[in-house]
Amino acid sequence: MTDRQPIFDSVLSQIAPFNKKGVELTEATTFAGDLEWDSLTVMDFVAAIEDEFDIIITMNMQAEIETVGQLVDAVAKLKG
């Protein structure tokens, strides 16, 4: 769990500028439901995450990632 924490913290800092409603962020926070992001916001956010971690998140992966926790897991796996 400890190796996920820096990734989780960094993901939260990347979400902050896009969190217009000030939603409390947890592992279970959903991008579409809780944060109410549209596809353009998602694209901008994914680009920010890819730059931050120097990874590529495929469209297939994006389709499967619905929560903050799932994104943290995906980043950890890609950085592996």
Side-chain angles (χ1 to χ4, degrees), residues 11-62:
V11 166
L12 293 191
S13 71
Q14 292 294 323
I15 291 173
F18 298 98
N19 188 2
K20 304 294 187 213
K21 295 182 171 248
V23 173
E24 185 178 340
L25 301 171
T26 68
E27 294 261 345
T29 302
T30 62
F31 298 107
D34 297 326
L35 295 171
E36 299 178 12
W37 287 358
D38 59 20
S39 57
L40 184 59
T41 302
V42 170
M43 295 291 284
D44 288 344
F45 174 69
V46 167
I49 289 293
E50 289 177 334
D51 288 348
E52 173 74 15
F53 293 103
D54 194 27
I55 57 173
I56 300 294
I57 300 174
T58 65
M59 293 301 276
N60 287 344
M61 286 184 75
Q62 286 180 41

Side-chain angles (χ1 to χ4, degrees), residues 3-4 7 53 55 70-80:
D3 55 342
R4 287 180 86 248
I7 296 172
F53 293 103
I55 57 173
Q70 288 173 332
L71 176 61
V72 172
D73 289 339
V75 170
K77 185 174 161 188
L78 287 168
K79 288 199 65 68

